[in-house]
Structure formats: C-alpha cells, structure tokens
Amino acid sequence: MHIKKLGIDIIRGCQLRCVGCPNSTLKPKIEFCDPADFEKMLNNIDARLKILRLYNFGEPMLHPQLDDMVKTIRKSRLKPKQIDVTTNGQYWNHDVFKRAFGQKIVTHLYVSCDGDGTPEDYERLRPPAKWDKLIEFMVKIKEMRDDLCHKMHLRTRTITTNKYKKRWTKLLKPMGFKPEFRQWTTRTDVKNPPWKARKVPNGVCKYVKSKDLLYVDYDGTVVPCCVHPKAAIYGNLLKTKASEILNGKNRELFYKTMKKHRSVLEVCKDCTKS
C-alpha cells in the first residue's frame, strides 16, 4: 500500500480567523496532540509514505513540543521523502524552533500569505495577523534555516489573483522564499472574498476519490480532506491501521453517497472542490 500524502494536525485550532478558513466559523479551542498519541498514529501507518504534513487546519508552530513531534518522526520506521510544516508566520518560539528544525528532517517550510501583496489586504484577509510580524518571522526563519538546516526549502502558499502574482514574487524571492500560488476554495458557511464566485460541482471530489490521501485530526480522527474538518469521519488512526480505514465501510459509504447524492452532504454540497 502507498500513501502519497498524510496530513496530521498536531494542533487543533489557530490564533487567526482567516477569510475562507473553517476555523473562522468553528472557532475551536486550541488543543495539542500529545507526542505519545502522535507516535501511535505513525505506528498505524502500514504503508509506504511519500509526504508527511504536520498540519491540516491548525497552526503547528504553536505546539510547545514541536521539537518532540519532529523527534518522533525521526525515530519512526516511516521514511517519507518530504516532511512539511505550514505556518501563518505570526508566532515565534526561538528555542523550540531551533530544536525542531535543527534535527534537519523537516524538508519544506511554507508560510501562508494571501491577498494583493499589500499590508492592508493581508491583514484584512488574515485577522488579527500583522504584516510586520509576517516579515519579521520570514527574516528570522531564513536566518535559522541558513544556520541550522540549509537544505530545508522555504516556500509560501499564497492565495491571490493573477494580477498580483508579480508583486508577491518581487517581495518574496529576495527574502529567500519561493511563492506557490493557489486558488480559493469557497463554501457557504465560511466568509469568502467578495470577488470570488462560487460554483459547486457534482460527483466525487479528488480527495474522496483517492485512496492514497489521508487527513487526520489532532485526536486521531480521520476525515476526508484538508478543506473542512467536519465533512465526515472515516475512523480513528489511534485505534485502527491506515489500510483498514482507507478500505473501510465508513469511507465506502461516504464515497457512494457523494457520487450519487452530493447535495445531501452538509459540508460537501457547498464545496467548490471537484
């Protein structure tokens, strides 16, 4: 069995309320995944793994034991080719970050930054984030990367329109970051940009269709995708092997329902992913 991408949220919740993010409406209490539980989850991955992501909906850099979580990966029998951390770039813990990234196994660090490339639009879309904090974080993490783990790739995941890609590139490249541009995924139960029209497709989306993608909440709950944490529950990785979950009845029933009756699914009926 092969898993192309495994996303495990090592923290539930986030300190921001970004436009388009389910955290903005669900407003979950911040809770941390215990390193011992994280180890159990990894032990239940009975497959070859290509990419491991330490996030789905939460802000992983807030975890006070981020270094221990990374150490758990290093000790694991899993040897993913790529290990990602994505952050909003609004929090800095020098000692924990130094111990975490100094282990030299995180291969990619992504910073999320959206809008038209101006402080005003960034802060509007990612409240209560501050532009100055974002720039300060990027400078500090670049310095830490150069000092401790020079092979780690620095990227951004930037949601914007084609009009503003050059502005972002001009800002980010001199800072040592390679921008990756993305499109908005919109839903009716979250606040969306006023310029983004919503077009909902029919049938099964790529997340539910694929058996080589696995998304796990901080408590081991396995969900269909990284777009919304409440779409469905396939099982729990703390108790069950990944292969059993991906081939299980819960996933099969959800797939069949989405294929024939997507309109009855509370979350998926409004999601623009196809």
Side-chain angles (χ1 to χ4, degrees):
M1 183 177 174
H2 173 76
I3 294 179
K4 179 181 178 181
K5 188 183 298 181
L6 166 64
I8 299 182
D9 245 335
I10 62 172
I11 174 173
R12 179 177 188 255
C14 178
Q15 81 275 44
L16 302 188
R17 294 292 179 261
C18 301
V19 171
C21 178
N23 279 325
S24 300
T25 52
L26 298 175
K27 298 180 179 179
K29 175 186 175 184
I30 290 179
E31 298 181 69
F32 305 109
C33 177
D34 186 274
D37 286 343
F38 184 58
E39 183 176 12
K40 290 179 183 177
M41 294 184 211
L42 295 183
N43 288 339
N44 274 330
I45 302 298
D46 53 342
R48 291 179 290 115
L49 178 61
K50 183 177 180 180
I51 300 173
L52 173 61
R53 310 191 318 178
L54 302 187
Y55 61 92
N56 283 319
F57 317 103
E59 171 47 54
M61 301 288 265
L62 291 177
H63 202 301
Q65 295 175 281
L66 178 63
D67 51 333
D68 290 332
M69 308 301 270
V70 173
K71 188 182 296 183
T72 299
I73 301 170
R74 183 166 53 82
K75 294 189 299 182
S76 169
R77 60 176 177 74
L78 298 174
K79 303 299 177 186
K81 293 182 179 180
Q82 183 173 323
I83 300 173
D84 296 353
V85 174
T86 289
T87 176
N88 56 42
Q90 292 291 304
Y91 175 76
W92 186 262
N93 187 328
H94 180 83
D95 292 339
V96 171
F97 295 171
K98 183 177 180 180
R99 292 195 297 270
F101 297 112
Q103 296 180 56
K104 301 180 181 179
I105 69 165
V106 175
T107 61
H108 292 70
L109 179 80
Y110 293 87
V111 179
S112 298
C113 44
D114 309 325
D116 65 7
T118 64
E120 295 77 16
D121 204 42
Y122 168 80
E123 292 178 2
R124 178 181 68 83
L125 292 170
R126 304 185 68 83
K130 298 299 180 185
W131 178 266
D132 290 345
K133 274 191 174 182
L134 173 71
I135 300 303
E136 182 183 10
F137 176 91
M138 296 173 87
V139 170
K140 286 181 176 179
I141 203 69
K142 169 68 162 53
E143 292 174 349
M144 182 174 285
R145 190 284 302 265
D146 292 347
D147 183 42
L148 296 175
C149 45
H150 66 277
K151 291 185 178 181
M152 184 173 74
H153 299 275
L154 298 179
R155 307 277 176 85
T156 68
R157 287 196 167 105
T158 301
I159 300 176
T160 189
T161 59
N162 289 334
K163 182 178 179 181
Y164 302 115
K165 287 182 179 179
K166 286 185 178 180
R167 179 185 288 172
W168 275 114
T169 301
K170 186 177 180 180
L171 170 70
L172 296 168
K173 279 200 169 182
M175 298 179 69
F177 283 79
K178 179 181 178 180
E180 292 184 4
F181 297 107
R182 308 174 75 185
Q183 300 295 316
W184 288 94
T185 298
T186 61
R187 287 183 34 78
T188 56
D189 64 344
V190 298
K191 184 180 179 183
N192 293 302
W195 44 263
K196 179 63 179 177
R198 189 174 65 86
K199 184 178 180 181
V200 180
N202 294 318
V204 183
C205 72
K206 65 177 183 179
Y207 296 105
V208 177
K209 190 178 297 183
S210 176
K211 278 193 176 183
D212 62 358
L213 304 175
L214 193 66
Y215 301 97
V216 188
D217 204 354
Y218 83 106
D219 60 357
T221 303
V222 178
V223 297
C225 67
C226 58
V227 178
H228 200 283
K230 299 294 183 180
I233 294 177
Y234 286 169
N236 193 293
L237 194 60
L238 282 172
K239 306 172 183 177
T240 311
K241 296 291 186 181
S243 60
E244 296 177 43
I245 294 173
L246 288 171
N247 293 296
K249 292 182 179 180
N250 288 354
R251 182 191 172 277
E252 182 182 4
L253 177 60
F254 189 75
Y255 176 91
K256 289 180 178 178
T257 303
M258 193 177 194
K259 184 177 181 179
K260 296 182 179 180
H261 308 290
R262 182 165 175 166
S263 62
V264 306
L265 297 174
E266 191 60 33
V267 171
C268 304
K269 68 179 181 180
D270 296 322
C271 181
T272 59
K273 285 294 185 182
S274 59

